[in-house]
Amino acid sequence: MARIRTIKPAFFTSEDICRCSRDARLLFIGLWTEADREGRLEDRPGQIKIRIYPAEDDVNVAALLNELHAAGLIERYKIGPVGVLQ
C-alpha cells in the first residue's frame, strides 16, 4: 500500500542524491510513496513507471533503478522469484 511521506529540506543538498540524475532523484522520492511500512516494494520497473511517470514515454525506469542502486540509495534483491526494492 502506498504511503504518504514527507521530504526534509536536506534531501536536496545530500551529496549522495546530488550525484544522481534529476529523473533518478524524482524516482527516489516516488519510490517512498509506493513502498510499504518497511520501505519495500516489488521490483517491477514497468509498473513503477506507470505509477511515478505516467505521462513520460521516454523515461527508462529500469536504468534509473540501476543508477539508484549503484549510488547505494536502494537495495535490489529477490525473495524466491520476486524482485524486491528496499
Side-chain angles (χ1 to χ4, degrees):
M1 172 189 271
R3 311 291 305 165
I4 295 173
R5 309 279 193 224
T6 60
I7 302 168
K8 296 184 179 183
F11 170 85
F12 298 99
T13 56
S14 163
E15 288 184 27
D16 293 334
I17 285 295
C18 288
R19 287 189 198 105
C20 295
S21 67
R22 180 176 22 189
D23 283 339
R25 294 190 306 259
L26 180 58
L27 177 61
F28 190 58
I29 294 167
L31 293 175
W32 297 347
T33 67
E34 296 299 318
D36 65 14
R37 290 177 189 233
E38 286 78 36
R40 295 185 202 102
L41 68 151
E42 284 191 52
D43 190 348
R44 298 177 59 195
Q47 194 66 29
I48 292 168
K49 187 211 173 292
I50 290 168
R51 299 204 39 99
I52 298 174
Y53 296 101
E56 300 296 326
D57 292 334
D58 62 345
V59 174
N60 184 339
V61 170
L64 296 174
L65 290 171
N66 287 335
E67 182 180 344
L68 292 172
H69 178 73
L73 296 169
I74 62 171
E75 293 179 35
R76 298 178 94 176
Y77 56 93
K78 288 196 175 233
I79 299 177
V82 178
V84 179
L85 298 173
Q86 181 170 351

